[in-house]
Amino acid sequence: MNRFPLWKYVLIGFTLVAAFLYTLPNFFGQVPAVQVSPVRTTEKVDTALLAQMESLLKASSLATSGMGLADNSIKARFASINLQIKAKDVLENGLGERYTVALNLLPASPAWLSTISALPMNLGLDLRGGVHFLLEVDMRTALEKAAIRYQNDFRTELRSDKIRYGRIIREGDAVTVHFSTRDQRDAAVNKLGTAFTDLAYTTEDQAEAFTLTARLKPEAEKQVQEFALQQNITTLRNRVNELGVAEPVIQQQGANRVVVQLPGVQDTAKAKDILGRTATLEIRMVDELADPLALAQGQAPFGTEIVPSREGALIAVKKDVVLTGDSITNATPGFDNTSGQAAVHLNLDGKGARIFKDVTRENVNKRMAILLIEKGRAEAITSPVIREEIGGGRVQITGMESAQEASDVALLLRAGALAAPMQIVEERTVGPSMGAENIEKGFHSNIWGFIAVTLFMVIYYRVFGLFSSIALAINALLLIALLSMLQATLTLPGMAAIALTLGMAIDANVLINERIREEVRAGSTPQAAIHAGYERAWATILDSNVTTLIAGIALFSLGSGPVRGFAVVLCLGILTSMFSAVTVSRAMVNLTYGRQARLAKISI
């Protein structure tokens, strides 16, 4: 009556072993480390850089506890924070500005656990330490940038239909066009109203001119602001990837703010530097008459500037910008159909396509440089000769060394520039010592709560109370293993949810134990009482847990940040508690009492 088939015991045993293995990495803690990654994401780290770092650290008598290359960065581990900080200074001075050197914390778990993907939980800012920024997007500038684009587009559209106009003035987010006659203005209203449906137009008759003023419609204005915010979030996310931060939080807050949390990053200045970096594209004409010897000496002809090419040579490009990355609507990696080399395919907007067509038509057999500008430094990716007029708004950039580089450049061009300026309105740093203190307090609260529950259950329900307490410990093991497998981020609210889960999980065992007691009092045999207790309490346990699960799902769906973290732990804890409280505890009861055919009494 009270026996499980062999496969159930095997399943429970396998689950417990897996839970132990995936929980284990969380007990090894973290070690201070220094992470080195290239400033330009198109560059790659290699064994030569690794050897250079080893040489610099050895020369300064700084011993590492391990150094490895992964995810286009090199991470060096150290035995103490003092060594970590000294190593950061040495590497920054020795490697120069080409590389980003950032402080970090890495898991200290053995490599064999990593081979089975057993990784520790990601800890939130309040537990691991790190930096917190609240950035505000300048929406007024975003609207003004949109107005500038329309100002240039107006000139192109009016010229294409040969509509005469006077001045085109932009004031804030409004563009005003002056005409000498009413007929000219009416023709412009018809033309621009058809071409730009997102704008609202107002006319005014003045003493010396007839004016047409255009502003974004409210819905279009909202769309521009939303685009600017999302573009900035994407850009920030790409920049944060260089820091190698585990589970960074980058999310929208309100209509014009972005929260950035970087757990494990202690270097606030470096984090600011990374967040402030952008990459953009410029297309300029090459000065064919520049003297190479003069360029080598840093002497550029008037109206030009010297930039390095991808091959290392110096070229002179004119200061007048033909086209910028603002005209790029999409950038995708691919291959050149003729040579088979890696390339980046660009799609230009209407204005950019027209400008590019005109420039290529007027400069056949001349060189055009495509510059990638990052952190204030320009580099000529390629400088091809224009063979013919290029129309249609599709442009191909060749000169990529690999498909991965083409993918990186495309990523930079898609989301390398901020759509609108941002300023830091709040900055907070949580030190690792404070994070360790929070972990200690959260751990102690869970331990003391578990001990209190265990004492109560053992005193009140004796052997069955002991089974319930063991099941409760297994519940905690399963919950931590699940969080580690999912690589969830644990925060202080998450630790509170674990404590709450442990307190709620024991309810199921209380229901089962009380039901068994009732069956014994009613005259049932001990074996029948155990069977009836588990079977009849199951419906009540399921109902109570499902209602709590619904509340947890609602918290996850409607909440944000710490509330969602709390909800995740709560929902997972409900699922693990149902398994441990019913299946695991019954397995222990069955192994203890199930084989006794004539059971006289049970300790409950």
Side-chain angles (χ1 to χ4, degrees), residues 111-123:
W112 66 270
L113 284 172
S114 300
T115 58
I116 61 173
S117 297
L119 303 172
M121 283 181 291
N122 295 313
L123 300 180

Side-chain angles (χ1 to χ4, degrees), residues 228-268:
L229 188 63
Q230 294 305 318
Q231 176 74 5
N232 283 8
I233 289 175
T234 303
T235 301
L236 292 174
R237 193 167 283 126
N238 294 332
R239 292 293 146 203
V240 165
N241 287 341
E242 295 182 27
L243 287 171
V245 180
E247 290 294 314
V249 175
I250 304 173
Q251 61 187 17
Q252 178 178 344
Q253 185 179 87
N256 63 341
R257 291 186 172 185
V258 180
V259 172
V260 178
Q261 292 184 351
L262 308 177
V265 175
Q266 303 302 319
D267 193 339
T268 307

Side-chain angles (χ1 to χ4, degrees), residues 54-106:
E54 289 175 343
S55 176
L56 289 170
L57 293 173
K58 187 176 180 181
S60 301
S61 301
L62 296 173
T64 67
S65 54
M67 188 182 297
L69 193 157
D71 300 327
N72 200 37
S73 64
I74 296 176
K75 299 171 184 176
R77 300 165 181 255
F78 296 92
S80 67
I81 293 178
N82 288 335
L83 286 175
Q84 176 199 33
I85 295 173
K86 291 178 181 178
K88 173 181 177 291
D89 295 336
V90 168
L91 293 174
E92 274 187 335
N93 294 330
L95 297 178
E97 297 183 355
R98 288 181 57 197
Y99 298 97
T100 295
V101 182
L103 301 178
N104 212 330
L105 294 171
L106 298 177

Side-chain angles (χ1 to χ4, degrees), residues 330-560:
N330 193 23
T332 56
F335 296 91
D336 181 15
N337 294 329
T338 305
S339 63
Q341 291 182 333
V344 176
H345 302 284
L346 306 179
N347 289 343
L348 304 178
D349 59 16
K351 168 195 166 188
R354 286 191 295 270
I355 293 174
F356 198 78
K357 181 179 179 181
D358 294 340
V359 170
T360 54
R361 183 181 65 247
E362 297 168 1
N363 293 278
V364 174
N365 295 325
K366 294 182 181 178
R367 291 172 65 199
M368 171 185 283
I370 299 175
L371 308 181
L372 181 67
I373 301 171
E374 189 175 7
K375 206 176 179 182
R377 294 193 295 269
E379 179 187 33
I381 299 175
T382 182
S383 52
V385 177
I386 301 171
R387 299 299 183 189
E388 60 183 0
E389 175 185 315
I390 302 174
R394 285 190 60 82
V395 181
Q396 178 177 280
I397 303 176
T398 56
M400 304 294 131
E401 295 179 359
S402 64
Q404 181 60 45
E405 184 181 6
S407 178
D408 291 341
V409 171
L411 176 64
L412 284 169
L413 298 181
R414 280 200 307 272
L418 294 172
M422 303 181 76
Q423 61 177 345
I424 297 174
V425 295
E426 181 185 337
E427 176 184 328
R428 188 167 68 247
T429 301
V430 180
S433 57
M434 183 179 293
E437 183 181 350
N438 289 338
I439 292 175
E440 184 181 2
K441 288 181 178 179
F443 182 75
H444 285 166
S445 64
N446 279 278
I447 287 295
W448 286 112
F450 174 78
I451 291 173
V453 170
T454 299
L455 287 175
F456 171 79
M457 292 298 291
V458 171
I459 292 171
Y460 198 73
Y461 293 112
R462 301 182 184 179
V463 173
F464 275 76
L466 180 61
F467 293 155
S468 301
S469 300
I470 295 173
L472 188 63
I474 291 173
N475 177 36
L477 184 73
L478 292 172
L479 179 55
I480 294 173
L482 268 179
L483 291 171
S484 300
M485 293 172 70
L486 296 173
Q487 283 295 278
T489 300
L490 183 66
T491 60
L492 270 178
M495 296 193 80
I498 292 176
L500 177 62
T501 299
L502 294 178
M504 293 169 54
I506 206 67
D507 286 350
N509 291 108
V510 170
L511 288 172
I512 292 169
N513 294 343
E514 285 299 327
R515 190 73 192 191
I516 293 173
R517 275 183 167 184
E518 289 177 6
E519 294 295 330
V520 171
R521 291 192 192 104
S524 298
T525 63
Q527 293 286 14
I530 292 172
H531 179 77
Y534 276 97
E535 293 297 323
R536 294 176 183 176
W538 169 244
T540 306
I541 293 169
L542 182 63
D543 288 346
S544 62
N545 281 283
V546 166
T547 53
T548 309
L549 188 63
I550 291 171
I553 293 172
L555 281 174
F556 181 81
S557 301
L558 303 177
S560 63

Side-chain angles (χ1 to χ4, degrees), residues 113-442:
L113 284 172
S114 300
T115 58
I116 61 173
S117 297
L119 303 172
M121 283 181 291
N122 295 313
L123 300 180
L125 197 69
D126 48 4
L127 298 181
R128 190 181 182 189
V131 292
H132 165 100
F133 297 110
L134 179 62
L135 301 105
E136 188 173 66
V137 182
D138 187 351
M139 291 302 183
R140 179 180 294 276
T141 302
L143 295 176
E144 289 178 356
K145 290 177 72 173
I148 292 172
R149 288 196 297 271
Y150 283 118
Q151 182 181 9
N152 296 327
D153 289 345
F154 282 2
R155 291 192 179 97
T156 304
E157 291 294 333
L158 295 175
R159 286 172 183 170
S160 66
D161 273 22
K162 297 181 179 179
I163 300 175
R164 296 173 64 89
Y165 62 91
R167 295 175 298 161
I168 299 183
I169 301 173
R170 180 190 62 82
E171 294 181 359
D173 59 352
V175 179
T176 302
V177 188
H178 293 256
F179 301 91
S180 57
T181 67
R182 182 180 283 106
D183 291 341
Q184 291 172 352
R185 186 188 63 190
D186 293 342
V189 170
N190 293 331
K191 174 63 177 177
L192 299 179
T194 304
F196 306 104
T197 56
D198 290 340
L199 299 175
Y201 301 92
T202 56
T203 60
E204 184 180 356
D205 296 344
Q206 298 179 352
E208 298 180 355
F210 299 88
T211 63
L212 171 65
T213 302
R215 282 187 175 86
L216 284 168
K217 294 178 180 177
E219 58 272 18
E221 187 175 296
K222 183 178 179 182
Q223 186 176 10
V224 167
Q225 293 175 337
E226 289 177 352
F227 170 79
L229 188 63
Q230 294 305 318
Q231 176 74 5
N232 283 8
I233 289 175
T234 303
T235 301
L236 292 174
R237 193 167 283 126
N238 294 332
R239 292 293 146 203
V240 165
N241 287 341
E242 295 182 27
L243 287 171
V245 180
E247 290 294 314
V249 175
I250 304 173
Q251 61 187 17
Q252 178 178 344
Q253 185 179 87
N256 63 341
R257 291 186 172 185
V258 180
V259 172
V260 178
Q261 292 184 351
L262 308 177
V265 175
Q266 303 302 319
D267 193 339
T268 307
K270 184 62 66 177
K272 281 183 179 179
D273 177 60
I274 291 293
L275 295 180
R277 283 174 47 197
T278 59
T280 188
L281 184 83
E282 286 185 358
I283 298 177
R284 305 190 200 177
M285 297 306 300
V286 177
D287 188 347
E288 305 279 2
L289 303 177
D291 183 4
L293 295 177
L295 294 179
Q297 297 174 358
Q299 299 175 1
F302 180 75
T304 68
E305 61 179 289
I306 302 172
V307 297
S309 67
R310 180 58 57 88
E311 294 77 21
L314 297 176
I315 61 174
V317 296
K318 296 182 179 179
K319 291 185 177 181
D320 293 334
V321 178
V322 174
L323 210 61
T324 68
D326 291 338
S327 298
I328 297 173
T329 59
N330 193 23
T332 56
F335 296 91
D336 181 15
N337 294 329
T338 305
S339 63
Q341 291 182 333
V344 176
H345 302 284
L346 306 179
N347 289 343
L348 304 178
D349 59 16
K351 168 195 166 188
R354 286 191 295 270
I355 293 174
F356 198 78
K357 181 179 179 181
D358 294 340
V359 170
T360 54
R361 183 181 65 247
E362 297 168 1
N363 293 278
V364 174
N365 295 325
K366 294 182 181 178
R367 291 172 65 199
M368 171 185 283
I370 299 175
L371 308 181
L372 181 67
I373 301 171
E374 189 175 7
K375 206 176 179 182
R377 294 193 295 269
E379 179 187 33
I381 299 175
T382 182
S383 52
V385 177
I386 301 171
R387 299 299 183 189
E388 60 183 0
E389 175 185 315
I390 302 174
R394 285 190 60 82
V395 181
Q396 178 177 280
I397 303 176
T398 56
M400 304 294 131
E401 295 179 359
S402 64
Q404 181 60 45
E405 184 181 6
S407 178
D408 291 341
V409 171
L411 176 64
L412 284 169
L413 298 181
R414 280 200 307 272
L418 294 172
M422 303 181 76
Q423 61 177 345
I424 297 174
V425 295
E426 181 185 337
E427 176 184 328
R428 188 167 68 247
T429 301
V430 180
S433 57
M434 183 179 293
E437 183 181 350
N438 289 338
I439 292 175
E440 184 181 2
K441 288 181 178 179

